[in-house]
Amino acid sequence: MSNGKSYFFAPYFFVGIGGSGMMPLAMILAGRGARVAGSDRSLDRGALPAKFADLAAKGVTLFPQDGSGVTSAEQIVVASAAVEASVADIVAAERVGAQRLSRPELLASLFNASALPIGVAGTSGKSTVTGMIGWILHACGRDPTVMNGAVMKNFASPDAPFASALVGAGEAFVSEVDESDGSIALYAPKIAVLNNVSLDHKSLEELRALFGEFAGKAETTVLNIGDSETAALASTLDRAKLVTFAVDANADLSARNLAPEPFAIGFDLIAAGATHAVRLAVPGRHNVSNALAALGAARAAGVPLPEAIAAIAGFTGLKRRFELVGEAAGVTVLDDFGHNPDKIAATLATLHAFPGRLLVLFQPHGYGPLKVMRTELVAMFRDALGGDDRLVLPDPVYQGGTVAREVTSADIVAEIGARAHHLADRADAAAWIVAQARPGDRIVVMGARDDTLSQLAADMLPQIAARLR
């Protein structure tokens, strides 16, 4: 796999092909001419049929997750860390002697073999920055390949409803890279982007080491010195290789005079002594920071800054990133990927810039992350929730991995206080939110690792309409 070219010669089988990190990788391989097949628990349950129909339309052969699709030693079997060794497809791979690769091993081999690998790292904002860079390069005629963990609205269409990947013929391969499993160490970027460093899956000590090594490999590193941890890391790197950015602080790319709107934001970009007016079609201070990262990376990739600024104005965002689901009886419903303290706080701050009570349903994305983030998560919610806001936590989604339940949603709620509620069943939590809603409220459904949250948010609208009509 080291030359990144063997995808033309070997058939691939993805175990868990519908996952947010697996599907776009399978789409890239299929788009480059590889033979791709796969299985998924959700497919077996009949869940998310549109997703699997889209894969089938792209030439991907789908099998039940019963081992029937893994039949040859010639196959390369790709699985994420969440797939247990006892899964029938993994057992079949062992039996027939098929080569095994993890998802990041395969992605890194393709990424490192590209002419211009652009890696986007950081605890928060990776998918958005990846989408922004991809859109800028595409709009400016660079024809990039993009690997994202979220659907990019700019590239979505009736023929490509799950556009979390883009297959291009240009030099650039833009990908978010993941620190949660340590696989960030596999990537060798020419341009590295580092948004921020904060708690999610690993301790700060581990994150500092992983992000520092990643940033140090690149020819150009674009990093956020408005973030204290990232600024400290920047001080250890070769300044000649750095492009710094910050919001309301001095940097190579600095954003000033922010002008927020409910679903957009404008700002002045100060770069090399010149001022450029920028307007984004996505809201929030955090997206200003994301835009600075993307503009810095695009400029490092050879796109003139004025062209990049013009292009980013057309970026329409990602699915499940502050996504407006709809409005019913004066109640607005949003779907958001927020799942760690920084991401959740950014979304709540964006909403609090405008009037209206917040009703938040947050489904934690696992018991392990809940344990790691406990103190910071409680402190964030205590600080970020308004006096009239209400929060409900169902039990965490469980899709394999940590089985210890040392910290639960009930523990978090008890420490937050009266504005928070625990209802173990997610459907009960959603019903509670609907029962609380009144005109002028904003409902936010938040969480990661569970695509069905979007349907949960959509289902609230008719229920609210029926209750308040």
Side-chain angles (χ1 to χ4, degrees):
M1 295 300 299
S2 61
N3 63 8
K5 297 297 183 182
S6 60
Y7 49 74
F8 288 121
F9 305 111
Y12 283 87
F13 191 93
F14 282 71
V15 185
I17 197 168
S20 62
M22 296 283 273
M23 184 173 178
L25 184 53
M27 291 164 69
I28 289 172
L29 285 168
R32 290 183 168 185
R35 287 176 287 160
V36 180
S39 66
D40 198 280
R41 292 168 180 167
S42 295
L43 175 67
D44 292 350
R45 295 197 306 266
L48 306 169
K51 173 180 285 190
F52 297 105
D54 187 45
L55 280 167
K58 290 178 169 56
V60 175
T61 305
L62 298 170
F63 290 87
Q65 200 167 86
D66 60 4
S68 60
V70 182
T71 59
S72 168
E74 294 181 359
Q75 289 174 289
I76 295 176
V77 176
V78 185
S80 71
V83 175
E84 302 90 347
S86 59
V87 169
D89 291 335
I90 303 301
V91 173
E94 293 291 331
R95 184 176 65 250
V96 303
Q99 181 182 347
R100 292 277 309 281
L101 280 178
S102 69
R103 184 198 68 84
E105 285 172 339
L106 175 55
L107 174 58
S109 73
L110 302 179
F111 178 87
N112 294 342
S114 66
L116 182 58
I118 303 173
V120 181
T123 315
S124 301
K126 291 188 293 290
S127 297
T128 297
V129 174
T130 298
M132 285 177 166
I133 297 170
W135 173 247
I136 293 169
L137 295 178
H138 174 82
C140 294
R142 301 311 200 268
D143 198 17
T145 293
V146 183
M147 164 75 193
N148 208 326
V151 174
M152 298 173 282
K153 292 182 181 179
N154 286 96
F155 302 117
S157 68
D159 293 333
F162 297 93
S164 53
L166 183 69
V167 182
E171 292 188 340
F173 191 120
V174 187
S175 180
E176 59 175 296
V177 298
D178 189 10
E179 80 288 347
S180 66
D181 58 1
S183 63
I184 188 174
L186 299 173
Y187 299 86
K190 287 189 177 177
I191 299 172
V193 178
L194 183 55
N195 295 333
N196 41 56
V197 180
S198 62
L199 284 172
D200 193 338
H201 296 269
K202 292 185 176 294
S203 70
L204 279 175
E205 290 73 20
E206 292 174 292
L207 292 174
R208 288 167 184 147
L210 287 168
F211 287 134
E213 180 186 359
F214 172 77
K217 291 178 183 177
E219 294 175 5
T220 303
T221 301
V222 183
L223 37 66
N224 178 14
I225 59 170
D227 173 73
S228 59
E229 283 286 342
T230 311
L233 190 152
S235 68
T236 69
L237 300 172
D238 181 354
R239 181 65 179 91
K241 296 182 177 181
L242 303 186
V243 175
T244 62
F245 66 90
V247 178
D248 285 330
N250 292 329
D252 296 330
L253 299 171
S254 176
R256 307 278 183 173
N257 303 320
L258 276 59
E261 303 172 32
F263 290 94
I265 193 165
F267 63 95
D268 289 336
L269 169 63
I270 314 299
T275 301
H276 309 264
V278 182
R279 187 176 186 276
L280 306 175
V282 290
R285 181 186 179 95
H286 61 294
N287 274 322
V288 173
S289 181
N290 290 336
L292 294 178
L295 291 169
R299 190 173 66 170
V303 178
L305 189 57
E307 288 184 31
I309 290 169
I312 204 170
F315 175 73
T316 53
L318 307 178
K319 300 286 286 183
R320 300 216 63 233
R321 270 51 171 194
F322 205 90
E323 182 179 8
L324 176 63
V325 178
E327 185 177 320
V331 178
T332 301
V333 178
L334 298 121
D335 184 22
D336 192 74
F337 190 67
H339 61 279
N340 65 38
D342 281 359
K343 286 185 171 79
I344 296 169
T347 293
L348 299 185
T350 299
L351 287 163
H352 277 140
F354 300 91
R357 183 175 67 150
L358 304 185
L359 301 176
V360 181
L361 187 155
F362 168 53
Q363 177 180 271
H365 61 295
Y367 288 94
L370 203 57
K371 179 182 177 181
V372 171
M373 297 186 297
R374 177 179 189 165
T375 300
E376 290 75 15
L377 199 61
V378 169
M380 180 277 299
F381 274 124
R382 283 178 173 172
D383 183 58
L385 289 171
D388 293 332
D389 295 344
R390 294 295 179 266
L391 168 70
V392 62
L393 270 71
D395 286 345
V397 63
Y398 179 72
Q399 295 178 344
T402 304
V403 294
R405 288 159 168 76
E406 297 172 48
V407 178
T408 67
S409 293
D411 295 328
I412 301 297
V413 163
E415 294 181 28
I416 294 171
R419 289 171 294 175
H421 307 268
H422 170 241
L423 290 168
D425 183 74
R426 194 182 72 177
D428 292 341
W432 185 88
I433 289 274
V434 169
Q436 300 294 314
R438 59 184 187 233
D441 286 348
R442 282 86 53 79
I443 293 173
V444 194
V445 174
M446 308 181 92
R449 290 187 182 170
D450 187 348
D451 290 345
T452 64
L453 284 169
S454 296
Q455 190 60 51
L456 184 80
D459 289 345
M460 287 183 176
L461 287 168
Q463 297 168 17
I464 293 165
R467 190 178 75 80
L468 294 180
R469 66 185 174 196

